[in-house]
């Protein structure tokens, strides 16, 4: 310890300095924590991966809560896009057909209206090879255009039902607006 800045102190001197410093620290402090609590497993992939630490705490009333802590920026974005939780398949279909809405879904999927061969269509992008059969089972159809596989939601009476199946499996993460296409 001789090569450090530590200084030897008598036990009584150290105890009085420690007690004085401890008296300056407030008994309680208030801070705001942004938490997602409840049943997390079904939405785990939707949560940011900056930290996957799970916290357990107990309120003054004895209620025990388990959740994950997030940054204020993520919480603000989640609150702003919270309207997506109440988005019905019919409303999503109507908004997409209008052409001003883009729906970002879980696992990197995106729904938007596109114009293909002179017709308006609802296109799903961001899918992986492993998703292809499931998307076809939901009722989406695919076409190879310019040597690229593309998936579309039918723009007929079955469209809202198919979007409902998509939203059940891949919930909306964000709703954004664009100029009409």
């Amino acid at each position: 310890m001789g090569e450090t800045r530590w200084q030897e102190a008598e036990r009584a001197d150290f105890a009085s300095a420690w007690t004085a410093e401890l008296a300056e620290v407030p008994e309680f402090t208030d801070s705001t924590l942004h938490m997602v609590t409840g049943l997390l497993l079904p939405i785990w992939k939707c949560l940011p991966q900056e930290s996957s630490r799970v916290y357990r705490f107990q309120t003054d009333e004895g209620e025990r809560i388990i959740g994950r802590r997030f940054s204020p920026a993520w919480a603000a974005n989640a609150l702003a896009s919270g309207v997506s939780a109440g988005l019905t398949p019919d409303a999503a279909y109507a908004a997409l057909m209008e052409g001003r809405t883009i729906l970002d879904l879980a696992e990197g999927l995106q729904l938007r209206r596109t114009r293909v061969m002179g017709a308006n269509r609802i296109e799903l992008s961001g899918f992986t090879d492993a998703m292809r059969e499931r998307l076809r089972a939901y009722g989406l159809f695919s076409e190879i255009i310019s040597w690229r596989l593309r998936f579309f939601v039918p723009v007929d009476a079955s469209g809202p039902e198919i979007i409902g199946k998509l939203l059940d499996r891949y919930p909306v993460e964000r709703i954004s607006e664009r100029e009409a296409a």
Side-chain angles (χ1 to χ4, degrees), residues 89-153:
D90 290 325
Y93 179 80
L96 288 165
M97 284 306 294
E98 182 183 69
R100 294 185 159 275
T101 303
I102 299 171
L103 300 180
D104 292 317
L105 309 180
E107 299 186 35
L109 297 176
Q110 187 180 74
L111 283 170
R112 67 169 56 211
R113 190 182 83 180
T114 57
R115 191 146 182 91
V116 179
M117 293 189 249
N120 288 328
R121 296 185 180 182
I122 298 174
E123 182 174 7
L124 177 74
S125 60
F127 57 89
T128 64
D129 291 343
M131 295 177 186
R132 289 179 179 182
E133 292 307 313
R134 175 178 289 179
L135 296 174
R136 286 187 182 104
Y138 288 164
L140 279 81
F141 66 94
S142 62
E143 291 183 10
I144 297 177
I145 302 171
S146 298
W147 297 281
R148 197 182 93 194
L149 181 68
R150 295 169 71 177
F151 273 94
F152 301 97
V153 174

Side-chain angles (χ1 to χ4, degrees), residues 32-36 50-51 53 55 67-71:
T32 302
L33 297 176
H34 299 281
M35 304 282 296
V36 174
E50 59 200 30
S51 169
R53 183 174 175 190
Y55 291 85
R68 280 183 51 190
R69 183 178 176 186
F70 296 100
S71 68

Side-chain angles (χ1 to χ4, degrees), residues 1-8:
M1 300 285 276
E3 297 173 6
T4 66
R5 294 191 168 262
W6 287 87
Q7 296 176 2
E8 282 193 41

Side-chain angles (χ1 to χ4, degrees), residues 24-90:
E24 293 176 9
V25 176
E27 184 178 1
F28 297 102
T29 59
D30 290 337
S31 60
T32 302
L33 297 176
H34 299 281
M35 304 282 296
V36 174
T37 63
L39 190 58
L40 297 177
L41 199 53
I43 62 165
W44 193 265
K45 287 183 178 180
C46 301
L47 302 175
Q49 299 304 312
E50 59 200 30
S51 169
S52 58
R53 183 174 175 190
V54 176
Y55 291 85
R56 184 179 82 174
F57 56 95
Q58 184 171 339
T59 65
D60 292 337
E61 292 78 30
E63 180 183 9
R64 294 182 180 178
I65 300 172
I66 296 176
R68 280 183 51 190
R69 183 178 176 186
F70 296 100
S71 68
W74 184 87
N77 186 30
L79 287 174
S81 64
V83 295
S84 64
L87 187 66
T88 65
D90 290 325

